[in-house]
Amino acid sequence: MSLPRSAASTPAFWLALTACMCNLLVVLLPIGLLLGLIALILGLIGSARASGANAPTLILTGVSFLIALVWGLSVAAMFAIDPTLS
């Protein structure tokens, strides 16, 4: 038996997956953040309509934001440690 899905569930999942792939490349990070934000909004709408059906989408969106956070912290650490960059 499958879980009930809303119309926003499938696009939200694919947007979250694309956001993860974009966030793995630092060049595409702004696009990944934008897609992740859209996926988060659609995922929250979908889970409000179909209770609990969007858990994988929300987890994948969280992983996408975690990847972006790691990239951001590594760039910030590089600027904080290297005196020639500041």
Side-chain angles (χ1 to χ4, degrees):
M1 184 171 140
S2 65
L3 293 173
R5 300 189 76 94
S6 71
S9 298
T10 304
F13 178 78
W14 287 108
L15 283 172
L17 186 63
T18 306
C20 278
M21 289 187 281
C22 287
N23 285 342
L24 287 174
L25 300 172
V26 73
V27 176
L28 298 176
L29 190 68
I31 295 170
L33 287 173
L34 180 65
L35 291 176
L37 183 64
I38 295 169
L40 179 65
I41 293 169
L42 288 176
L44 290 174
I45 290 171
S47 63
R49 291 183 181 169
S51 61
N54 268 355
T57 300
L58 297 177
I59 291 171
L60 198 55
T61 304
V63 168
S64 169
F65 288 137
L66 184 65
I67 293 170
L69 179 67
V70 168
W71 272 116
L73 290 177
S74 65
V75 170
M78 182 177 63
F79 279 104
I81 292 173
D82 193 357
T84 60
L85 294 175
S86 56

